[in-house]
Amino acid sequence: MILNKILSIYDFVFQFLAKNRIEKKDLDLQYIHKHNIVVLMTGLLMWAYAFIAYCTISSLIPGIIGLLASIIHLSSPLLFRFTNKIHLISGIMLGAGVIHQGTFAFFTGGFSSHILIWYAIIPTLAGIITDNKGLTFWFIIVSLISLIFFSLDLYGFQFPRLITREGFLFSQLLLIFGWIFTSTVILFTFNNLINEKSKRLADERNKLDNLLRILVHDFSNSIHVLKSTSTILLNRGLKSDGNEKRDPTKFLTAIKKHSDFLSDTTSSIKAMYIMSNRNQDLLIQEIDLNKSLRLLLSILDNKVEQKQLSINYDYEKNKDIFVHATPHIFENQILQNILTNAIKFSHPGGKIDIETKIEDPTYLELTIKDYGIGMPSELLNSIFSPEREATRQGTAKEPGTGLGMYILKSFVDKLNFKIKVESQPDQGTAVTLLIPRVTELHNA
């Protein structure tokens, strides 16, 4: 409960800090997260050293500089509201720490001051927040500053030692437990990232293995049919002499069916490749629902006529419905996939209902329901899994790739839609999409 409260507070603050970066999409948000974590991790130490400097060092300079540096350090995430320059923002934050540590060291013994050991953590933090460029830059900076302190001490410069014995002990305590805490957090985070990366790689490898197994099985079957059918046609010739056994129509039909299957599967693989390799944000637009459905139903009209299906959809009722989505994904990969399945698994002469409902004004519930063969619970429970072994033929023996719903779910997640599938054997299937909608009225 407490953890959830802390996370909700952090999320609220993060949304405020990253607002402009989210809107402009000009910075990977992980950089802001990493910067914030480092500020939270080191902020307490900054303020503690500033307090010790103010209370236990006889000069006011290290206390004042420590206070100002701590304020700058803590305020640095606010800069994300104004710029996406991560090296600049991290430089201001880390620079405040370097100045604070350097000032404290100068007034507590110079090169002999134990606080200079904190310079060793600066390049590490820079590398975590930014990249090797930031790491290298701060390695050079803190190394040069440390060499300056060393050279001054070597040539006899007398650094002031203005800290009290109690101040020295407390600063030593901060050093010991600060390093324990900081190194633990860094290694804990690093190990978690490695474990998560390993898990993702293992999941991707398993998905790829399952996908290859499905493809090899399905492709080999279709290629075998094409090869054997082509061989028969070549041996018998393409002309029919009235003998039904020599009629090439059924062979050409088989070739057409399996060619369509290979074509559909290839398109599915292409869609999956696009899905897995397009990490950039998608272009979200306002889409007229009626326009999209008219387009798709005209494309699928031939399949609808072949099965003599009736499509029930109220264009007048939904003339002012606009949704937020990426057009080619919404139409070609989501709606077309659902409608194609509804047609495929409908009985000849059946019907398909397309219904809309608005319970939340910001979302549209779009349901596409057929009254066909439906599916058993074990298939329904694994419908979005690429590891599903079985593919199903339609009511007119239409082949399936077994990948359609997995691809559909990938695109649904990418667009931040929600999907629900309900089905019972011999009673049909209902697929419901929850889609962000445009609340302002438009003219159809």
Side-chain angles (χ1 to χ4, degrees):
M1 186 69 178
I2 297 177
L3 179 60
N4 290 336
K5 184 67 175 177
I6 293 173
L7 290 176
S8 65
I9 293 173
Y10 174 79
D11 184 64
F12 175 79
V13 174
F14 175 81
Q15 293 297 325
F16 172 77
L17 297 173
K19 180 177 182 293
N20 291 336
R21 307 285 68 80
I22 294 172
E23 292 177 355
K24 295 182 179 180
K25 300 177 182 179
D26 57 0
L27 182 66
D28 189 333
L29 298 182
Q30 68 167 330
Y31 289 112
I32 304 179
H33 281 299
K34 290 190 293 185
H35 184 96
N36 291 345
I37 290 171
V38 169
V39 168
L40 292 173
M41 183 174 65
T42 59
L44 183 60
L45 289 169
M46 290 278 292
W47 285 95
Y49 272 110
F51 179 77
I52 290 173
Y54 181 79
C55 294
T56 66
I57 297 177
S58 57
S59 172
L60 291 176
I61 294 175
I64 294 172
I65 291 179
L67 176 63
L68 293 174
S70 298
I71 293 173
I72 293 171
H73 176 274
L74 184 62
S75 304
S76 62
L78 288 171
L79 295 174
F80 285 110
R81 297 271 299 183
F82 308 101
T83 180
N84 66 340
K85 298 185 183 302
I86 183 63
H87 287 95
L88 172 64
I89 299 173
S90 66
I92 291 173
M93 186 267 289
L94 294 173
V98 168
I99 293 172
H100 184 9
Q101 293 157 0
T103 306
F104 195 104
F106 183 89
F107 285 92
T108 58
F111 188 72
S112 300
S113 176
H114 59 267
I115 197 175
L116 283 179
I117 193 65
W118 282 114
Y119 278 178
I121 202 71
I122 296 297
T124 303
L125 297 178
I128 291 173
I129 299 172
T130 58
D131 50 27
N132 286 340
K133 179 181 176 182
L135 185 153
T136 304
F137 174 81
W138 283 104
F139 166 77
I140 295 172
I141 293 297
V142 295
S143 296
L144 287 175
I145 296 174
S146 299
L147 285 173
I148 291 172
F149 272 97
F150 171 75
S151 299
L152 290 172
D153 206 331
L154 182 64
Y155 287 100
F157 181 83
Q158 294 299 312
F159 289 98
R161 294 178 182 269
L162 305 180
I163 191 168
T164 65
R165 179 177 178 277
E166 290 77 11
F168 174 82
L169 289 175
F170 278 111
S171 61
Q172 186 75 357
L173 182 70
L174 282 180
L175 176 67
I176 295 171
F177 284 97
W179 261 100
I180 292 173
F181 171 76
T182 304
S183 60
T184 300
V185 170
I186 291 174
L187 290 175
F188 183 82
T189 304
F190 178 79
N191 287 336
N192 278 347
L193 291 174
I194 292 296
N195 291 336
E196 288 179 9
K197 183 68 174 179
S198 300
K199 186 177 182 300
R200 284 199 301 268
L201 289 175
D203 290 343
E204 292 299 323
R205 184 171 61 250
N206 290 334
K207 289 178 181 179
L208 181 60
D209 290 342
N210 291 319
L211 174 61
L212 288 176
R213 187 179 68 251
I214 294 170
L215 293 179
V216 168
H217 176 268
D218 292 348
F219 267 55
S220 62
N221 285 343
S222 290
I223 291 172
H224 175 73
V225 171
L226 290 173
K227 181 178 179 181
S228 60
T229 304
S230 301
T231 301
I232 293 172
L233 286 175
L234 287 172
N235 291 338
R236 295 184 178 182
L238 289 174
K239 293 183 178 180
S240 173
D241 58 359
N243 187 339
E244 185 177 346
K245 292 183 177 180
R246 291 180 59 86
D247 188 353
T249 302
K250 66 177 182 178
F251 300 114
L252 293 174
T253 300
I255 289 175
K256 176 66 167 61
K257 181 173 72 173
H258 287 277
S259 296
D260 288 343
F261 168 78
L262 292 175
S263 176
D264 292 343
T265 304
T266 302
S267 297
S268 296
I269 296 171
K270 180 180 178 182
M272 292 177 67
Y273 176 81
I274 293 172
M275 190 72 247
S276 62
N277 285 278
R278 283 187 178 175
N279 294 322
Q280 69 271 27
D281 292 323
L282 298 172
L283 179 61
I284 304 298
Q285 299 179 9
E286 295 182 5
I287 300 175
D288 184 341
L289 181 64
N290 278 355
K291 184 177 179 181
S292 293
L293 284 171
R294 279 196 181 95
L295 172 64
L296 289 173
L297 292 175
S298 67
I299 293 173
L300 299 171
D301 184 62
N302 186 48
K303 293 182 179 180
V304 173
E305 285 188 1
Q306 286 177 354
K307 285 195 170 181
Q308 297 181 328
L309 301 173
S310 61
I311 307 293
N312 301 317
Y313 175 71
D314 191 342
Y315 284 98
E316 181 62 26
K317 171 189 172 184
N318 299 300
K319 65 180 181 179
D320 292 324
I321 298 294
F322 286 72
V323 296
H324 285 297
T326 301
H328 69 279
I329 291 179
F330 178 62
E331 295 169 353
N332 300 338
Q333 300 298 340
I334 296 179
L335 286 185
Q336 185 168 333
N337 198 316
I338 297 172
L339 285 168
T340 299
N341 281 342
I343 294 168
K344 181 190 298 184
F345 298 115
S346 290
H347 297 294
K351 67 174 182 175
I352 296 172
D353 293 332
I354 304 174
E355 301 175 347
T356 60
K357 183 167 60 174
I358 301 174
E359 293 186 349
D360 182 338
T362 59
Y363 284 91
L364 171 73
E365 286 188 31
L366 175 66
T367 300
I368 299 175
K369 178 174 176 56
D370 68 71
Y371 299 85
I373 61 176
M375 65 184 82
S377 59
E378 59 269 18
L379 179 58
L380 180 63
N381 292 335
S382 62
I383 193 171
F384 297 124
S385 173
E387 302 174 10
R388 190 159 52 94
E389 292 281 352
T391 60
R392 298 196 306 160
Q393 289 187 331
T395 54
K397 306 300 182 184
E398 305 99 321
T401 66
L403 301 174
M405 295 304 288
Y406 169 64
I407 296 170
L408 168 66
K409 184 61 164 61
S410 298
F411 281 111
V412 163
D413 292 342
K414 186 72 173 176
L415 290 178
N416 294 319
F417 290 7
K418 293 181 180 179
I419 186 170
K420 179 175 67 174
V421 182
E422 299 173 295
S423 184
Q424 292 185 5
D426 300 320
Q427 295 187 32
T429 300
V431 180
T432 300
L433 293 172
L434 192 63
I435 310 168
R437 64 181 289 259
V438 181
T439 55
E440 296 84 0
L441 291 180
H442 294 72
N443 294 322

